[in-house]
């Protein structure tokens, strides 16, 4: 049921992304601005992921090129320059499930391709499919990790 609500929203966001110029590639940056690395928090989230079959599978495939960055953020995400941005206020189980979602993108590549030789409609379809896989992974992890009282509830 959540897929039906997710697709129109993603479609609108991604259509506007087709017209943007691609961001220049850069080597992975350390956390910057109000974001910071937190080895203890990173270790806790990774340990929680390792406690589930799906989390272990993700961690086995993750190259660990990206830097986990924590801060007081409205939106978590992964940047083209190698930052996985997480909210330091999320409880550990919810943060681990969200990290699992973002690891799907780290492993498979960012959802929206900047390749202008691929038609925009094809890029949007790929992005929607990638987001559905990532959200499904996050929901599976939320269930396995018994996320209670989430800060970001799913419908």
């Amino acid at each position: 049921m959540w897929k039906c609500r997710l697709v129109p929203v993603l479609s609108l966001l991604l259509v506007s992304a087709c017209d943007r110029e691609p961001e220049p590639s850069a080597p992975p940056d350390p956390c910057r601005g109000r974001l910071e690395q937190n080895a203890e928090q990173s270790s806790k989230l990774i340990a929680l992921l390792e406690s589930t079959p799906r989390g272990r599978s993700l961690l086995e495939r993750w190259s660990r090129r990206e830097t986990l960055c924590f801060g007081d953020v409205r939106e978590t995400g992964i940047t083209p320059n190698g930052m996985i941005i997480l909210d330091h206020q999320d409880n550990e189980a919810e943060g681990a499930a969200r990290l699992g979602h973002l690891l799907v993108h780290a492993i498979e590549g960012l959802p929206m391709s900047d390749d202008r030789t691929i038609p925009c409609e094809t890029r949007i379809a790929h992005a929607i499919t990638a987001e559905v896989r990532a959200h499904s992974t996050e929901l599976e992890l939320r269930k396995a990790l018994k996320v209670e009282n989430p800060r970001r509830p799913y419908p």
Side-chain angles (χ1 to χ4, degrees):
M1 183 170 190
W2 62 270
K3 290 179 190 176
C4 295
R5 289 187 224 146
L6 182 64
V7 171
V9 172
L10 286 173
S11 296
L12 289 173
L13 293 173
L14 297 172
V15 167
S16 66
C18 283
D19 297 328
R20 288 191 322 218
E21 289 298 315
E23 294 184 28
S25 296
D29 288 343
C31 304
R32 58 180 181 255
R34 296 183 304 191
L35 300 173
E36 63 184 20
Q37 293 182 50
N38 183 324
E40 182 181 346
Q41 196 167 10
S42 294
S43 294
K44 287 178 181 178
L45 299 185
I46 289 170
L48 279 171
L49 283 178
E50 287 174 341
S51 74
T52 70
R54 182 72 175 120
R56 275 192 304 280
S57 172
L58 290 169
L59 291 169
E60 288 169 2
R61 295 183 302 143
W62 180 35
S63 68
R64 297 183 191 254
R65 285 186 303 237
E66 296 81 13
T67 303
L68 300 185
C69 301
F70 297 87
D72 185 11
V73 296
R74 285 184 41 187
E75 292 294 326
T76 62
I78 182 169
T79 67
N81 62 352
M83 287 193 305
I84 293 178
I85 302 169
L86 298 161
D87 192 329
H88 66 90
Q89 295 182 56
D90 285 346
N91 68 57
E92 290 172 6
E94 185 173 15
R98 187 65 182 160
L99 175 57
H101 172 128
L102 298 173
L103 289 182
V104 170
H105 297 314
I107 293 162
E108 297 180 357
L110 296 178
M112 189 65 180
S113 169
D114 287 329
D115 185 346
R116 302 291 182 174
T117 64
I118 300 171
C120 187
E121 295 80 16
T122 303
R123 291 187 286 151
I124 290 170
H126 174 267
I128 290 170
T129 301
E131 278 301 322
V132 168
R133 275 194 308 274
H135 280 282
S136 295
T137 296
E138 183 172 352
L139 288 169
E140 180 183 334
L141 289 167
R142 281 175 172 238
K143 183 177 178 181
L145 296 170
K146 298 177 176 50
V147 172
E148 295 178 8
N149 302 317
R151 293 183 66 233
R152 292 178 179 86
Y154 271 74

